[in-house]
Amino acid sequence: MPVIYNGGTFDLIHVGHLRTLRKCRELAGSDGQVVIGLNTDKFVEEFKHHPTVQKYVERSEILSAIRYVDRVIPNIGGADSRPTLEAVSPDIIAVGQDWYSSDDSRYCQQMGFTKNWLDEHHIRLVYLDWVPGLSSTNLRSIAKEI
């Protein structure tokens, strides 16, 4: 029963999010689990320097209603994803191709761990295709122009 982890803010959920979650479900299979580590409102405001459009409880409710997702948990470590990952104990972290680097350092550095830490915890990093230019940030900008 593989456990697939994906983390993020998921503010203004869009088709790119759905495609990512569908790919996570495909990786997990019918007997696996897809767990989402959802960034808290406090962390998002500190990290991105602006509040979310939707509060944590709303984003969590939406994600929980999506059929590809089994469980939503708060990202308790903020910029350091290790506490959340240790709580989930995933087999795979599935992340967008936009985080790719040949040695995985780009993603690892952003999340507060090393490739060695992943190896020690037997966690594999898998990069998923994504839609360039499709993001909540871009949607927020477009909405401001309307």
Side-chain angles (χ1 to χ4, degrees):
M1 179 162 119
V3 176
I4 310 303
Y5 175 88
N6 181 273
T9 302
F10 294 91
D11 199 16
L12 300 176
I13 291 180
H14 52 73
V15 71
H17 290 129
L18 290 176
R19 290 174 183 168
T20 294
L21 297 172
R22 184 182 321 125
K23 289 174 188 173
C24 288
R25 168 55 53 209
E26 289 169 5
L27 282 171
S30 59
D31 64 336
Q33 275 200 340
V34 174
V35 180
I36 304 301
L38 186 59
N39 290 330
T40 64
D41 296 335
K42 181 182 178 199
F43 171 68
V44 173
E45 192 149 358
E46 289 171 0
F47 183 73
K48 295 187 177 187
H49 309 291
H50 63 75
T52 57
V53 173
Q54 301 173 101
K55 297 296 181 200
Y56 177 90
V57 68
E58 296 162 339
R59 294 180 286 123
S60 178
E61 186 176 338
I62 292 166
L63 283 167
S64 295
I66 295 172
R67 66 180 174 180
Y68 308 123
V69 176
D70 295 299
R71 193 164 43 125
V72 178
I73 64 167
N75 173 15
I76 57 177
D80 181 357
S81 295
R82 291 175 296 182
T84 304
L85 290 168
E86 288 170 348
V88 173
S89 193
D91 299 292
I92 294 172
I93 298 173
V95 61
Q97 189 71 29
D98 54 326
W99 286 103
Y100 176 79
S101 61
S102 60
D103 62 357
D104 297 328
S105 63
R106 183 167 183 239
Y107 182 76
C108 290
Q109 184 177 20
Q110 177 69 29
M111 298 300 125
F113 49 75
T114 64
K115 179 71 169 124
N116 286 341
W117 185 87
L118 287 176
D119 293 342
E120 289 168 7
H121 288 80
H122 309 287
I123 301 171
R124 194 167 54 118
L125 192 54
V126 172
Y127 295 97
L128 305 174
D129 290 337
W130 65 291
V131 181
L134 185 57
S135 70
S136 296
T137 301
N138 289 349
L139 289 175
R140 190 178 294 107
S141 295
I142 292 167
K144 284 180 182 177
E145 293 174 10
I146 298 174

